[in-house]
């Protein structure tokens, strides 16, 4: 459970350790999932900042979340899904969402996820040397 691994920086450090574990044995889709997780871990501060920026530098029409803690929890959840041995898409659709609290915090979590989805740029040659 990535939501209960200590203070925020410690949680990300633990996740970054998991990203490389056994990487040479991972093939195909799993390798791409780990690469995506590694990018999120390496850039999590910038992604959280972008998700919650009051005055966006670009794509100003994309709504932003207001809570960095909620955006961080959502991103840790996504990294956990990407690092899971299970089908990440199926687990994301059917599994429980991270517990961020109720009401406006849940709306904020959804907004953070939508922000990342709207701004995500996946290069076509992610696996190229």
């Amino acid at each position: 459970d990535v939501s209960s691994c200590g203070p925020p920086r410690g949680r990300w450090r633990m996740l970054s350790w998991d990203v490389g574990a056994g990487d040479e044995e991972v093939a195909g889709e799993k390798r791409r999932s780990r690469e995506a997780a590694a990018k999120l871990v390496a850039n999590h501060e910038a992604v959280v900042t972008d998700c919650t920026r009051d005055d966006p530098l670009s794509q100003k029409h994309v709504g932003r979340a207001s809570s960095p803690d909620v955006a961080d929890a959502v991103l840790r959840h996504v990294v956990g899904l990407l690092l899971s041995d299970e089908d990440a898409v199926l687990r994301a659709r059917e599994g429980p969402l991270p517990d961020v609290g109720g009401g406006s915090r849940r709306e904020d979590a959804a907004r953070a996820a939508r922000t990342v989805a709207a701004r995500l740029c996946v290069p076509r040659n992610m696996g190229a040397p």
Side-chain angles (χ1 to χ4, degrees), residues 29-82:
E29 187 175 325
K30 194 62 189 166
R31 181 178 208 73
R32 290 185 294 275
S33 292
R34 288 201 176 197
E35 287 177 12
K39 289 293 183 186
L40 273 176
V41 169
N43 296 300
H44 77 274
E45 288 182 29
V47 175
V48 167
T49 298
D50 185 62
C51 284
T52 59
R53 188 180 297 274
D54 286 333
D55 187 22
L57 302 176
S58 65
Q59 292 183 324
K60 296 178 185 235
H61 65 283
V62 175
R64 302 303 203 270
S66 60
S67 170
D69 292 337
V70 169
D72 183 75
V74 168
L75 291 174
R76 283 185 284 110
H77 178 71
V78 169
V79 169
L81 290 171
L82 290 168

Side-chain angles (χ1 to χ4, degrees), residues 47 51 59 62 75 110-122:
V47 175
C51 284
Q59 292 183 324
V62 175
L75 291 174
R111 197 172 301 116
R114 283 192 301 268
T115 301
V116 172
R119 295 182 51 73
L120 188 65
C121 176
V122 179

